[in-house]
Amino acid sequence: RYDMLNFTVGPVQESKEVLEVGAQPTPYFRNQSFSKIMLENEAMMKELTFSDEESRVVFLTASGTGAMEAAVMNSFTSDDKVLIVNGGSFGKRFVQICQIHQIPYTEITVPMEEPLTKEMLEPYDGRDYTGFLINMHETSIGKLYDINMVSEFCKKNNLFLVVDAVSAFLAEHINLSELGIDIMLTGSQKALAVPPGVSVLVMNKRAVDRAYNLDVRSMYFNLADALKNGERGQTPFTPAVGILLQIHRRLEELCKVGAIAENKRIANLAADFRNKVKDLPFRMFSPSPSNAVTAMMMENGKSAYALFELLESDYGMWICPSGGDLKDKIFRVGHLGALTFDDNDRLVEAMKQALERL
């Protein structure tokens, strides 16, 4: 349906301007005009992530998981030993990737309803680890990790830091240069608010050097190849041309207002929604919620999944359901994309009506 109001955490509500770009015919891309757009895309991503001049940006035609796997493959070998923060579905995904590629690892398991603390990191201080993998925002349960605390720990131990910021980018303030993040990755369908299909890796000089020097046994996910082609604004293989053009339009919008202003806009949307539902029979699930999404637990014995279904079928609105054991307990409401305070009002009113009907 094309008339839905979208409160999921990806794909998100898209602006009229982005939709207009997507409605245009897909152009040929092995030419100077497309190269110019891609070089501008790289420059704008570096601006929005506060990256230094030597940093590089790779645009992969892949989901966020593709970027996660590419980051691991192009950064670590069996000689490394990495720490992985595992507090949900996406932390587990980093574990699975390291298992597949035979990267030695240790999990830092974080209970669902608890934050990551310094005490959890202390047992690994001063040990023989070389890398650190974290999903800055564990989107599956709406939990935000303290990236400043993680940054301090990694700097102290000289760890190569890979941050999955798929849903955290632009929802939270992320300064790659100050935090010492070696690779940050995100996806097109989150705060960039265009269709899914492209993932983005922002790499500092240390990450670029490592990618060029590792023997990566992959054709599609060889970042050295992507970096080399990117010098002229091109990609090794056929990219998602239409989505990259939409990203260009969206990045132009974002650079006009700046990353900090967009952080505040999303934070204000999240705060507004949380304030408006405080009298409804929900409670915040995460002790450290992200601005990107609010995870709510039902407290009246009714089904969270039934609420999701009713909002979709009768009110023309999408929220995010949960899976597994949390299916009937938790739902998530996203605050990314072209949403407004008035949209929050419409959602809350629909929730009140739906709760009475369940």
Side-chain angles (χ1 to χ4, degrees):
R1 290 176 58 180
Y2 298 101
D3 58 344
M4 299 288 286
L5 189 54
N6 190 351
F7 288 93
T8 69
V9 72
V12 301
Q13 193 84 357
E14 297 167 21
S15 70
K16 178 183 176 182
E17 292 76 16
V18 165
L19 290 171
E20 287 174 349
V21 174
Q24 300 302 310
T26 305
Y28 184 63
F29 62 97
R30 297 297 191 200
N31 53 26
Q32 287 300 313
S33 60
F34 186 74
S35 291
K36 179 176 181 292
I37 285 170
M38 290 300 292
L39 291 170
E40 290 174 356
N41 280 349
E42 179 172 34
M44 289 188 286
M45 276 300 302
K46 288 168 66 172
E47 178 181 338
L48 292 167
T49 54
F50 304 94
S51 301
D52 59 41
E53 190 59 36
E54 291 182 298
S55 296
R56 295 290 311 281
V57 181
V58 171
F59 295 87
L60 279 180
T61 299
S63 69
T65 303
M68 291 171 71
E69 186 164 24
V72 170
M73 292 171 64
N74 289 266
S75 302
F76 305 111
T77 71
S78 58
D79 293 330
D80 285 287
K81 187 177 178 183
V82 303
L83 289 166
I84 304 173
V85 175
N86 185 356
S89 299
F90 295 101
K92 183 180 179 181
R93 196 162 296 181
F94 264 139
V95 171
Q96 293 171 315
I97 291 168
C98 285
Q99 289 172 342
I100 289 167
H101 295 284
Q102 300 181 335
I103 310 298
Y105 68 89
T106 299
E107 294 178 58
I108 303 173
T109 303
V110 183
M112 274 195 176
E113 294 191 66
E114 294 181 22
L116 177 68
T117 64
K118 285 186 177 180
E119 289 71 25
M120 294 177 185
L121 297 179
E122 281 176 359
Y124 311 102
D125 191 12
R127 303 282 291 276
D128 57 345
Y129 292 95
T130 59
F132 196 104
L133 303 174
I134 186 169
N135 314 90
M136 180 173 166
H137 174 222
E138 179 51 71
T139 321
S140 63
I141 52 175
K143 183 193 298 186
L144 181 71
Y145 295 123
D146 185 344
I147 196 63
N148 291 298
M149 177 184 71
V150 169
S151 168
E152 289 176 10
F153 178 82
C154 289
K155 287 177 179 177
K156 180 181 178 184
N157 290 277
N158 192 31
L159 302 182
F160 188 95
L161 177 56
V162 176
V163 176
D164 164 3
V166 167
S167 59
F169 172 58
L170 292 177
E172 312 295 336
H173 179 63
I174 308 175
N175 185 314
L176 266 64
S177 296
E178 289 183 0
L179 292 168
I181 295 173
D182 293 289
I183 299 180
M184 186 212 83
L185 58 100
T186 190
S188 57
Q189 76 278 19
K190 303 294 185 179
L192 287 176
V194 306
V198 169
S199 57
V200 187
L201 298 100
V202 185
M203 309 168 64
N204 68 9
K205 187 177 186 302
R206 180 161 74 156
V208 171
D209 290 344
R210 189 169 292 200
Y212 272 123
N213 287 307
L214 285 186
D215 179 21
V216 178
R217 302 187 67 80
S218 171
M219 177 177 286
Y220 196 78
F221 288 121
N222 187 324
L223 293 185
D225 196 9
L227 289 163
K228 186 64 178 175
N229 278 269
E231 291 175 4
R232 59 188 179 92
Q234 286 291 330
T235 57
F237 312 105
T238 302
V241 176
I243 296 173
L244 288 164
L245 293 175
Q246 288 176 294
I247 286 175
H248 186 263
R249 181 59 179 268
R250 177 69 174 140
L251 289 174
E252 287 180 326
E253 294 174 2
L254 290 165
C255 285
K256 284 180 182 177
V257 299
I260 293 174
E262 182 67 3
N263 296 158
K264 290 180 179 177
R265 188 190 71 83
I266 296 171
N268 288 339
L269 273 173
D272 177 71
F273 171 76
R274 292 164 189 169
N275 181 59
K276 287 171 178 172
V277 296
K278 65 179 185 295
D279 295 326
L280 297 183
F282 314 137
R283 72 170 174 85
M284 294 277 288
F285 181 72
S286 173
S288 52
S290 163
N291 294 322
V293 63
T294 301
M296 306 293 288
M297 176 169 276
M298 303 286 280
E299 290 203 305
N300 58 358
K302 296 181 180 181
S303 166
Y305 195 81
L307 176 63
F308 154 73
E309 289 185 311
L310 191 55
L311 288 172
E312 178 183 39
S313 62
D314 288 21
Y315 296 92
M317 298 180 187
W318 282 314
I319 59 173
C320 279
S322 292
D325 295 339
L326 300 177
K327 178 179 178 180
D328 290 312
K329 299 176 182 178
I330 293 174
F331 65 87
R332 293 165 293 152
V333 174
H335 312 295
L336 304 176
L339 294 170
T340 66
F341 293 153
D342 288 343
D343 293 331
N344 281 347
D345 287 335
R346 290 173 59 192
L347 175 61
V348 173
E349 181 57 35
M351 284 179 162
K352 290 177 181 177
Q353 295 180 27
L355 287 167
E356 291 178 1
R357 295 172 57 190
L358 288 177

